Amino acid sequence: MKKSLSFRYKYIISFVTLEIIFLTMIVFVNFQSLEKTSNKLINDKIEFIKLFGTQSLLTSLSVYDLATIDNILLKLTELKSVEACEVKDIGGNILSKVGNIPDDKDPNYEIVQSKLELEGLKLGTFKLALDLREKNLIIQSNRETTYKIIFAEILISIIISLIIGYGISKNLLRLADAVSLMGKKESVDIPLIKSRDEIETLSFALNKMQRRVKDRNIKLIEATKKAELANSAKSQFLANISHEIRTPMNAIIGLSEMMFDTPLSEKQRDLLSKVNGSSKMLLEIINDVLDYSKIDAGKLELEEKSFNLINLLLRLDTVLNQSASKKGLLLTLKMSAEAPSIIIGDQFRLNQILTNLLSNALKFTNNGSITLNIDLKQKIDEQHAVLAFSVSDTGIGMSEEEIQKLFTPFTQADISTTRKYGGTGLGLSISKRIVEAMRSELKVESQKNVGSIFSFDIEVEVESWDKTDFTLIQPEKEKVLNFNGINILLVEDNEINQEVASMILKRVGINVDIANNGKEAVDKYLSHRNKYRLILMDLQMPIMGGYEATKIIREHNKEIPIIALSAAAMIEDRQKVLDAGMNEHLGKPIDTSKLYKTIAKYCHVDFENRTLNTTQKENYEVLDMEYLKGNFSSNETIAKLLKKFTKQLNNEFKDIADFISNKSSDAPALLHALKGVSGNLRANELHAVCKSINAKYRSKDEIPQSDIKILNEAIKRVKERLSELDLESKNDINYMVVNHLNKSEQQELFYEVKNELLKANIVSSEKKMVLFENLKSVINNNELSEWSEAVDEFEYDKALKFMDGWKI
């Protein structure tokens, strides 16, 4: 953009231009007048000379008096302006001549010719030349003088305009400089210019404005400080409340997990499982609130690391497949063949977005399917691409009005949604903010009672397009660490946390010494410098905190690993830990897997090849009943699940081998569903076969008949094993004595069972049968039987519809 001329130069140019135009007009008029006057004088003189000469010459010429004619011509040439003259007779012969007549085209002379006639008789011609040089010199001199005057006028105009323009622009520049500083300095004095004109008015107006701006700035600064204090207080509150909640949560989760290692009745295991699960759900809510706080405070930072997209899908499948199978939903995770294999970005945040979207879909979908698609939208070049992510479901869907409220923090599309499905309403808001941090937009399309599609596109840096670069994550056996009696110093002031951490550590062969605060930790360490392989350090403790204790220990030993074990979980807490000289930060409640891996990492201890009791005995065992007994709340629950599995094998999965053999379009989805169900119920041989065939579907390979034969044999062996278990006897309560309840007791049991179904909890067969028998007299028996079957099949929505229509 071209720079505009300053006001000063605009003023000078305008002033001088007007002056030139005005002077030009004056000069033009002056020159025209001078020319006109000069020409008139010459013409008058010519007329006089012609008249005088003609009259004098006629008399002499009539008598042919040549001497007189010569004399007259001499007299005429004595006139100052007459250069030459001559007289010719009628035949053109020169009778008399004085001087030489110049050429007609000479601008310095005016040639005048006149006929000499007397009473109609032609006697001859008279010709004379007038000298115009003097006249031209006068005119030229006049013009030069005029030009000099014009130049002087213009010069004076420029000087005057410069002086005036400088005076005006100087004051304007002073005001402009002062105004420009208003946004840079807290206090700026606007000059008061007393020029008794508009600039003075402007300076007073700017002063008034500056005072108002100053007042508003003061108020704004005060408001900003208050907002910063409020934000700081909020962050501090969240950090404190997180710490206070995580401390007892650590005890609840830790101790409940320890109790799973003790002998428990089925009822105790069921109750303990609910306590542990609820605690972890509460921990997820706390993490969501902290995540939103970080994002809201602008502290979200994205990592740039390479990771494999297939591995990401496998992790999502591991986390979500069981939940989908429990609801009878088909969960499909797909990535197009054109998409890159390894990209550079923030795997954790991308996983968080997709987990939130898929979990939401699972929560609000009661039947049908959920699909995650990862497609290549645009290949920019070999190193860059745009990937399109979409999560679609066949759930309850939303109206346009509900979509408008969808991404509002702590809000769900409908108040009834919170009551029915639960949740904080933060997941989608967090996902939206993370997507925006990735310079994209989270979009939603939805139709009530049809389903929803959430999608976003992100530009990524590509490390590899080669599909052979995939490193598939195979399910590993869960290993137990045996640290063979290494010594660790646990620094913790809370007695319950001391007990929890000690139990977690001692169960894997770690000797634990406890320090109640930082000072004790320093004293114990300095007294036994070579004893401890690692220190677990709480941060907030009485007498001396973890930061100060670490500083003192680091003065004596910079190598010993110090791991922060704290309920403080904010980003700044983690960074503060590292800045203080600690090696790692682990949050509370304690994640035992992370704790063991961290200790193994810093103490250089390898995993021992010994599996936990809760894992698979053999990868290809037909049905791992020991796992099911150890991980489900009761034999009754196991029997229900296996009965349903038997029914599925004899119905929806009955012709799966034929579908695969005939290359039916339904085959991949059926196989994927069977893979999920068999894996969840630990039908390990069948799961492995399904997984192998599914991998070939993904790579678009041909499915050989040998694989189909192995699949049929695996299904056959599972059916045989299921028939051996005599599942009917495990759930047979037809012979139990059913107490007849009064109306009040019926209502109490009715609402108790309904509440269990609303919470998606398994209803015991005893409760169900008692309610069934007591309602026979008031409810249609066919409807009651359908209700009982729906409860057995875990079709809780269907069962609740029946109950909503009953009047008890």
Side-chain angles (χ1 to χ4, degrees):
M1 185 177 176
K2 293 182 179 179
K3 189 177 180 181
S4 179
L5 289 172
S6 67
F7 171 79
R8 182 191 305 179
Y9 291 116
K10 287 180 180 178
Y11 175 78
I12 292 169
I13 291 170
S14 300
F15 188 86
V16 172
T17 302
L18 288 172
E19 183 74 15
I20 291 171
I21 293 170
F22 181 69
L23 289 174
T24 302
M25 291 172 64
I26 292 174
V27 169
F28 177 77
V29 172
N30 180 53
F31 285 173
Q32 287 290 323
S33 177
L34 181 62
E35 189 75 25
K36 190 174 180 181
T37 302
S38 177
N39 288 337
K40 187 175 183 304
L41 289 172
I42 290 172
N43 288 335
D44 289 346
K45 195 171 188 178
I46 290 171
E47 287 301 318
F48 171 75
I49 293 170
K50 280 173 64 180
L51 182 61
F52 171 75
T54 302
Q55 292 299 324
S56 301
L57 289 171
L58 275 173
T59 304
S60 301
L61 189 57
S62 63
V63 293
Y64 210 72
D65 185 358
L66 295 177
T68 303
I69 291 171
D70 289 337
N71 189 41
I72 290 170
L73 293 183
L74 285 171
K75 290 289 184 183
L76 287 172
T77 53
E78 287 177 2
L79 294 173
K80 191 174 182 181
S81 57
V82 177
E83 176 69 19
C85 53
E86 65 180 17
V87 175
K88 292 181 180 180
D89 61 18
I90 194 169
N93 300 312
I94 296 173
L95 300 176
S96 179
K97 179 180 180 182
V98 178
N100 294 315
I101 301 296
D103 190 272
D104 290 348
K105 297 178 180 180
D106 193 333
N108 291 319
Y109 298 95
E110 179 76 22
I111 308 302
V112 181
Q113 186 169 312
S114 176
K115 293 179 180 179
L116 298 174
E117 293 181 355
L118 184 61
E119 296 179 358
L121 180 65
K122 293 180 180 180
L123 302 176
T125 58
F126 169 58
K127 192 176 186 179
L128 63 85
L130 293 177
D131 190 349
L132 302 179
R133 284 178 294 181
E134 184 178 359
K135 181 205 82 166
N136 291 339
L137 283 172
I138 292 169
I139 292 173
Q140 181 64 31
S141 175
N142 185 276
R143 285 179 178 173
E144 289 176 359
T145 303
T146 302
Y147 291 146
K148 289 175 182 177
I149 292 170
I150 289 172
F151 178 76
E153 281 282 346
I154 292 172
L155 188 61
I156 292 168
S157 298
I158 291 172
I159 293 170
I160 292 171
S161 60
L162 279 170
I163 294 169
I164 296 172
Y166 175 75
I168 295 171
S169 63
K170 179 186 73 173
N171 290 330
L172 288 176
L173 287 172
R174 286 174 64 196
L175 293 174
D177 291 340
V179 170
S180 66
L181 289 172
M182 284 174 66
K184 300 176 183 177
K185 293 184 178 181
E186 291 185 8
S187 179
V188 177
D189 293 326
I190 303 291
L192 283 170
I193 299 168
K194 297 181 179 180
S195 57
R196 297 182 181 180
D197 55 17
E198 289 82 357
I199 293 178
E200 181 177 340
T201 304
L202 178 62
S203 71
F204 275 100
L206 288 173
N207 263 278
K208 190 175 181 180
M209 183 188 75
Q210 194 266 346
R211 286 194 296 273
R212 289 180 180 174
V213 169
K214 188 175 181 180
D215 291 341
R216 288 179 184 174
N217 280 345
I218 291 170
K219 290 178 182 178
L220 183 61
I221 290 167
E222 289 175 356
T224 303
K225 286 180 179 178
K226 287 179 182 178
E228 288 174 351
L229 286 171
N231 193 50
S232 177
K234 181 187 77 173
S235 297
Q236 189 60 46
F237 169 77
L238 285 171
N240 290 340
I241 202 71
S242 169
H243 186 277
E244 294 304 316
I245 294 174
R246 283 170 184 273
T247 299
M249 286 278 291
N250 179 50
I252 296 168
I253 293 175
L255 291 174
S256 61
E257 287 182 351
M258 292 299 102
M259 287 183 69
F260 280 119
D261 294 338
T262 65
L264 297 170
S265 68
E266 289 185 8
K267 185 65 175 176
Q268 287 172 328
R269 183 174 291 276
D270 179 48
L271 294 174
L272 190 61
S273 176
K274 289 175 181 175
V275 169
N276 188 265
S278 298
S279 302
K280 288 179 178 177
M281 284 176 64
L282 179 57
L283 184 61
E284 286 179 11
I285 293 171
I286 295 168
N287 289 336
D288 273 352
V289 172
L290 288 176
D291 255 348
Y292 182 77
S293 175
K294 296 170 197 171
I295 294 168
D296 198 40
K299 294 179 179 177
L300 178 67
E301 294 181 2
L302 298 176
E303 289 186 338
E304 294 292 329
K305 292 183 179 178
S306 65
F307 63 93
N308 195 313
L309 282 172
I310 286 289
N311 288 351
L312 175 65
L313 291 182
L314 289 172
R315 288 190 184 94
L316 290 169
D317 185 71
T318 302
V319 172
L320 300 168
N321 202 296
Q322 188 171 357
S323 299
S325 297
K326 281 182 179 178
K327 294 187 74 173
L329 301 172
L330 176 62
L331 176 65
T332 307
L333 309 179
K334 298 192 297 185
M335 187 174 83
S336 70
E338 293 79 19
S341 58
I342 300 176
I343 64 172
I344 296 173
D346 195 323
Q347 181 181 7
F348 173 76
R349 292 300 179 187
L350 183 57
N351 182 77
Q352 184 178 8
I353 296 166
L354 296 176
T355 301
N356 275 339
L357 296 179
L358 288 167
S359 297
N360 248 35
L362 282 168
K363 184 189 294 185
F364 298 112
T365 304
N366 296 319
N367 52 69
S369 62
I370 296 163
T371 304
L372 165 65
N373 281 305
I374 303 178
D375 296 307
L376 177 65
K377 185 174 184 179
Q378 180 187 3
K379 183 176 181 180
I380 300 172
D381 53 43
E382 287 299 319
Q383 284 76 43
H384 298 87
V386 177
L387 297 181
F389 295 81
S390 68
V391 174
S392 58
D393 63 59
T394 56
I396 62 175
M398 292 171 287
S399 64
E400 284 297 324
E401 184 181 352
E402 289 169 340
I403 291 173
Q404 296 302 318
K405 299 185 289 185
L406 189 62
F407 296 111
T408 305
F410 307 102
T411 303
Q412 291 192 334
D414 187 352
I415 293 174
S416 62
T417 302
T418 307
R419 290 199 299 268
K420 185 174 181 181
Y421 297 99
T424 61
L426 275 177
L428 284 177
S429 179
I430 290 169
S431 298
K432 181 176 184 290
R433 297 288 192 94
I434 297 172
V435 170
E436 287 171 352
M438 294 177 174
R439 298 185 298 279
S440 185
E441 179 186 3
L442 183 57
K443 301 174 183 176
V444 59
E445 300 173 33
S446 188
Q447 190 174 343
K448 199 76 172 175
N449 301 320
V450 174
S452 304
I453 301 174
F454 289 83
S455 62
F456 61 94
D457 304 332
I458 55 171
E459 184 177 333
V460 297
E461 188 175 344
V462 178
E463 187 170 292
S464 175
W465 296 88
D466 188 355
K467 296 297 180 292
T468 60
D469 287 341
F470 289 156
T471 307
L472 298 179
I473 298 177
Q474 302 293 338
E476 294 182 353
K477 292 181 179 181
E478 189 177 352
K479 306 288 182 63
V480 165
L481 283 168
N482 188 339
F483 288 94
N484 298 319
I486 66 170
N487 295 305
I488 282 180
L489 179 60
L490 172 65
V491 189
E492 171 65 65
D493 64 314
N494 184 285
E495 290 185 6
I496 295 177
N497 285 343
Q498 289 176 359
E499 185 178 354
V500 171
S502 296
M503 290 173 65
I504 291 171
L505 295 170
K506 287 177 180 177
R507 73 191 289 230
V508 290
I510 294 175
N511 297 321
V512 183
D513 283 353
I514 296 174
N516 294 297
N517 55 61
K519 188 176 185 308
E520 280 189 26
V522 171
D523 293 341
K524 284 194 174 186
Y525 172 75
L526 293 178
S527 301
H528 307 87
R529 295 193 183 195
N530 298 320
K531 180 178 179 180
Y532 304 111
R533 295 277 297 276
L534 182 140
I535 300 173
L536 292 174
M537 181 76 73
D538 191 17
L539 300 179
Q540 299 179 19
M541 296 177 288
I543 303 176
M544 182 185 290
Y547 293 112
E548 189 178 350
T550 299
K551 183 180 178 182
I552 296 171
I553 293 171
R554 282 288 180 240
E555 290 175 357
H556 299 275
N557 187 334
K558 298 188 183 299
E559 303 300 325
I560 186 169
I562 302 177
I563 310 300
L565 195 62
S566 171
M570 304 292 278
I571 289 176
E572 52 268 31
D573 295 319
R574 297 174 186 273
Q575 190 58 47
K576 191 176 178 183
V577 159
L578 299 177
D579 293 342
M582 300 185 208
N583 300 81
E584 199 79 64
H585 179 286
L586 295 177
K588 293 177 185 175
I590 297 170
D591 183 324
T592 54
S593 176
K594 284 185 179 178
L595 177 63
Y596 294 155
K597 287 178 181 178
T598 303
I599 295 172
K601 173 184 173 182
Y602 287 100
C603 294
H604 309 291
V605 175
D606 294 326
F607 284 100
E608 184 182 287
N609 293 320
R610 181 164 59 88
T611 59
L612 287 171
N613 292 332
T614 56
T615 58
Q616 307 163 34
K617 298 299 180 192
E618 297 176 20
N619 279 337
Y620 298 104
E621 186 177 1
V622 176
L623 192 66
D624 191 347
M625 287 300 296
E626 187 174 342
Y627 171 86
L628 297 177
K629 289 176 182 177
N631 286 272
F632 288 91
S633 58
S634 66
N635 288 336
E636 180 188 337
T637 302
I638 296 170
K640 282 185 178 181
L641 292 171
L642 293 180
K643 278 175 67 179
K644 186 172 184 179
F645 185 33
T646 303
K647 186 177 179 181
Q648 288 178 328
L649 288 174
N650 291 324
N651 290 286
E652 60 192 273
F653 297 129
K654 178 183 176 183
D655 300 317
I656 188 171
D658 292 337
F659 282 1
I660 296 172
S661 182
N662 296 328
K663 298 180 181 179
S664 167
S665 59
D666 296 329
L670 270 175
L671 184 77
H672 183 85
L674 181 58
K675 177 175 75 77
V677 175
S678 59
N680 290 330
L681 293 176
R682 287 305 190 269
N684 297 316
E685 179 189 20
L686 178 57
H687 176 70
V689 174
C690 291
K691 188 173 181 181
S692 173
I693 297 174
N694 190 59
K696 290 177 181 176
Y697 269 124
R698 284 188 172 183
S699 59
K700 299 182 179 179
D701 292 337
E702 190 75 21
I703 311 298
Q705 286 299 317
S706 58
D707 283 3
I708 299 172
K709 183 179 179 182
I710 293 170
L711 176 63
N712 270 326
E713 290 172 354
I715 293 173
K716 181 182 177 183
R717 277 191 285 274
V718 171
K719 286 182 177 179
E720 289 172 353
R721 179 73 180 112
L722 288 170
S723 65
E724 291 170 3
L725 294 174
D726 191 17
L727 299 175
E728 294 299 329
S729 65
K730 295 180 186 292
N731 198 30
D732 191 357
I733 58 171
N734 292 325
Y735 303 104
M736 63 182 289
V737 177
V738 177
N739 294 326
H740 291 284
L741 308 176
N742 59 39
K743 189 169 184 179
S744 174
E745 289 172 334
Q746 279 184 15
Q747 288 177 339
E748 185 178 348
L749 180 60
F750 175 85
Y751 286 111
E752 185 180 341
V753 171
K754 189 174 182 181
N755 191 44
E756 289 292 321
L757 295 177
L758 283 168
K759 293 178 179 178
N761 292 335
I762 295 175
V763 179
S764 71
S765 295
E766 182 181 353
K767 283 183 184 178
K768 187 199 75 172
M769 188 54 67
V770 171
L771 185 61
F772 182 93
E773 292 296 327
N774 277 275
L775 293 180
K776 276 185 176 180
S777 59
V778 292
I779 303 297
N780 179 281
N781 285 351
N782 288 333
E783 190 173 314
L784 203 57
S785 297
E786 287 185 38
W787 170 81
S788 178
E789 185 180 349
V791 173
D792 288 339
E793 293 293 327
F794 303 101
E795 295 177 356
Y796 290 165
D797 287 336
K798 183 178 178 181
L800 284 167
K801 283 182 181 178
F802 283 122
M803 297 183 82
D804 287 339
W806 295 345
K807 294 180 180 179
I808 306 300

